Amino acid sequence: MGQNPHKLLKVLEPQMKLRVKTEGKVTVIIDGVNPWAVARKNCGPPVRVYKIRLFSGVSTLELTNPSNVFSITVTLLCETTCEVLNL
């Protein structure tokens, strides 16, 4: 990630989606009772993420909380700036 990665911290409620625009590498860290999320890199196929995952070559990243009950906390460490596309 380098010396000073850009950090973005968001809480995803059940069934909530988060879309982020960035470039380069992104580390996703998930914390919560049920630390699972579904990620789609560059509108590709969905990938299940458990606790931590490194994505490279990212232009857009969509994260979804698949739980119907529990919220999760998502921390994104981006190589360049992270711009949230939805709030």
Side-chain angles (χ1 to χ4, degrees), residues 20-24 26 41-43 56-61 85:
V20 178
K21 181 179 177 184
T22 185
E23 292 181 15
V26 177
K41 179 180 100 171
N42 303 334
C43 299
S56 60
V58 175
S59 62
T60 58
L61 184 66
L85 297 177

Side-chain angles (χ1 to χ4, degrees), residues 63-84:
L63 294 168
T64 305
N65 181 0
S67 176
N68 291 324
V69 179
F70 300 112
S71 298
I72 57 174
T73 303
V74 177
T75 305
L76 297 173
L77 301 174
C78 303
E79 200 172 30
T80 61
T81 59
C82 296
E83 180 184 339
V84 177

